[in-house]
Amino acid sequence: MSSLQDRYGNPLGTQSVAARDAYLAGVDSLMAATPGMDTAFQKSVEADEDFALGHISLARAKQLLGRGHEAKAPLVRAKELAASASPREQSQIAIFEKILTGQGAAALEAIREHMKEWPRDAMALAPATSVFGLIGFSGRSGREVDQLALLEPFETHYGDDWWYRTQLAFAQIELHKLDEGQRNIDAALEAFPRSAHAAHIRGHLCYELGERETGLAFLKEWMKDYSRDGLMHVHNSWHLALWSMETGRMEEAWRIYDEALSPAVAWGPQINVATDCVAFLARAEMAGEPRQAQRWREIADYNTKWFGRPGLGFVDMHTVLAYAMAGDDASRAKFAENPAGATADMLPPLARGFAAYAEGDWTRAIGEIEPLLATHERLGGSRAQRDLLEYIVTSAMVKAGRASEARAMIEKRRPQNGKGKGFPLAGL
């Protein structure tokens, strides 16, 4: 058996130091969302073509980068090599096969079992973390509590590991355990300053604290030398665009949209382009900008291309909003009439509510969307992303002449967001 190990002390099924080193670089890149994760894993299997874990990790990297069609070959090769791999590696390959073939619930259960035997297998645990992970997109009420409950017991195994502290911090911040989250995310950034995931989560802390100027300054400085090839470039740019808009820098906000977010310029991942562009355009309109018909049409067409069938609630929410704002009633109706996935029950009222908002029927928009606010965590994504729904209801209330009711609701649900320049909503 090889004496080579990963960063967490797990034995690796390769005798090649070059394969090991490239694999370690790929793991760190994946965990930190730095550019080059796929290139590193490719080098790993080139150094040792029989390294099963290198192949399955390459497949996972391709998926995360929005190139799922390129994941098939490394997945097939990993499965071919699995029989001669260690039990841990066989189990990890089985987990990623489930993820790559759309078996999310089964993958999550397999991860839970896997971690009982190999608690320091961070690559196996990672897909169950974050707001876009298997728990985040489970469609379950209480999934934020489940996320933290999954992570907390592993503190004895990971200690001050920067990746673990990053994920723990995000789970804490989403539950408004802000002091604990700040300690963990600051420790993670100190240990690995170039982690785009850690920088992103530090931004979420600023969001929850209502510190727009602080968040803008921090992330703008951090992004200076972060490549456009990085996994988090689009989404971190979205945060910059929002904070620019909310602090009165509207020209800068549109510049960021057109240079970093727009489907015409952003490579992906597609899930970020499809959701972040919609979210920014909607927030800009609610802040008082005129409707951007061409931009809405562009993102609606993009979502049709990449997410033309319903099934993932978080993306579906943004897609039907794009259709409503672009005036594509046929596509919106197709989604509303054929909902799918764990949050299928939420899609028809969202589609109806967004259409009402787009048409200026404020009372109907409120009536459709407001009842969903109590359980909108089921849709997945972060609190900062799901406030889109709360803002739409608040905006509709203001437009319907119910400004005092609107302020009372948003101050109760997002008390920190009104700090500084106030809520980013016209008329409030």
Side-chain angles (χ1 to χ4, degrees):
M1 181 179 289
S2 172
S3 60
L4 300 180
Q5 300 178 337
D6 68 13
R7 189 162 63 83
Y8 296 94
N10 299 299
L12 295 173
T14 181
Q15 301 287 342
S16 167
V17 172
R20 186 273 314 271
D21 289 349
Y23 173 78
L24 295 184
V27 170
D28 280 353
S29 179
L30 185 150
M31 298 297 199
T34 57
M37 70 174 86
D38 55 332
T39 303
F41 289 130
Q42 182 65 46
K43 289 180 179 177
S44 179
V45 297
E46 287 173 357
D48 182 356
E49 207 281 331
D50 294 329
F51 183 26
L53 216 56
H55 286 284
I56 197 64
S57 300
L58 177 60
R60 173 60 171 164
K62 297 286 191 182
Q63 182 192 39
L64 289 173
L65 293 168
R67 305 204 303 271
H69 62 287
E70 296 178 14
K72 294 177 182 178
L75 171 60
V76 169
R77 185 56 180 149
K79 290 170 64 179
E80 291 172 350
L81 296 167
S84 58
S86 70
R88 179 186 73 87
E89 291 174 320
Q90 290 177 352
S91 179
Q92 192 184 118
I93 290 167
I95 288 168
F96 283 117
E97 180 185 8
K98 290 180 175 66
I99 293 171
L100 289 161
T101 55
Q103 303 174 65
L108 181 57
E109 182 57 33
I111 289 171
R112 293 185 188 277
E113 290 301 312
H114 181 98
M115 299 310 294
K116 293 176 183 177
E117 185 73 20
W118 301 285
R120 279 181 58 79
D121 194 352
M123 274 290 282
L125 179 58
T129 66
S130 191
V131 298
F132 274 21
L134 295 172
I135 293 176
F137 282 154
S138 66
R140 294 178 53 185
S141 292
R143 58 96 178 167
E144 292 172 328
V145 173
D146 292 345
Q147 185 74 79
L148 186 58
L150 173 78
L151 285 166
E152 283 182 326
F154 289 100
E155 188 163 9
T156 57
H157 299 287
Y158 288 91
D160 291 331
D161 176 71
W162 60 266
W163 169 79
Y164 174 75
R165 291 290 163 189
T166 299
Q167 298 307 323
L168 182 62
F170 205 2
Q172 290 167 334
I173 289 167
E174 289 296 286
L175 286 172
H176 244 236
K177 297 177 181 289
L178 302 184
D179 290 342
E180 298 167 53
Q182 180 162 357
R183 285 194 296 271
N184 281 315
I185 200 59
D186 286 350
L189 278 168
E190 183 176 357
F192 202 115
R194 293 313 303 158
S195 170
H197 283 312
H200 167 231
I201 292 162
R202 188 66 177 78
H204 274 268
L205 178 65
C206 291
Y207 163 84
E208 294 295 346
L209 292 170
E211 297 177 347
R212 295 185 174 101
E213 292 286 359
T214 300
L216 180 61
F218 164 76
L219 202 53
K220 188 174 182 180
E221 177 65 25
W222 191 93
M223 288 282 285
K224 276 184 177 178
D225 57 354
Y226 185 58
S227 171
R228 294 180 66 91
D229 295 334
L231 186 71
M232 293 298 294
H233 188 273
V234 166
H235 189 61
N236 279 347
S237 296
W238 175 75
H239 281 279
L240 289 177
L242 284 186
W243 277 323
S244 295
M245 179 190 74
E246 293 175 0
T247 56
R249 301 171 172 91
M250 203 65 231
E251 185 176 340
E252 174 68 3
W254 283 117
R255 184 194 66 77
I256 294 170
Y257 181 91
D258 289 331
E259 294 182 4
L261 301 182
S262 163
V265 298
W267 67 267
Q270 291 90 347
I271 189 172
N272 293 132
V273 178
T275 57
D276 289 343
C277 287
V278 172
F280 178 81
L281 292 176
R283 282 172 167 85
E285 186 165 326
M286 287 186 283
E289 291 288 292
R291 184 163 299 173
Q292 304 290 315
Q294 183 176 345
R295 289 185 172 106
W296 276 118
R297 182 71 264 164
E298 180 183 45
I299 191 59
D301 289 344
Y302 181 90
N303 284 25
T304 297
K305 175 182 178 180
W306 290 104
F307 301 100
R309 289 184 294 179
L312 186 58
F314 183 74
V315 179
D316 294 344
M317 172 182 78
H318 289 84
T319 298
V320 292
L321 177 55
Y323 290 152
M325 293 300 203
D328 188 345
D329 293 336
S331 295
R332 180 183 54 79
K334 183 177 70 174
F335 267 60
E337 294 165 6
N338 301 280
T343 56
D345 58 302
M346 302 179 78
L347 188 53
L350 284 171
R352 293 191 298 266
F354 292 150
Y357 187 91
E359 295 163 4
D361 188 341
W362 314 122
T363 299
R364 186 160 62 95
I366 296 164
E368 294 284 2
I369 300 173
E370 187 176 17
L372 304 178
L373 300 185
T375 58
H376 69 21
E377 70 168 308
R378 292 179 54 212
L379 291 163
S382 67
R383 282 169 47 88
Q385 291 170 308
R386 296 193 313 278
D387 74 7
L388 174 66
L389 294 179
E390 291 159 334
Y391 281 169
I392 283 179
V393 171
T394 306
S395 174
M397 285 179 173
V398 172
K399 292 175 184 294
R402 297 159 56 183
S404 60
E405 183 183 351
R407 178 171 289 278
M409 189 200 77
I410 201 66
E411 284 182 345
K412 180 180 179 180
R413 296 190 64 88
R414 299 292 187 199
Q416 302 302 319
N417 292 27
K419 286 185 175 180
K421 293 180 178 295
F423 293 102
L425 295 164
L428 197 65

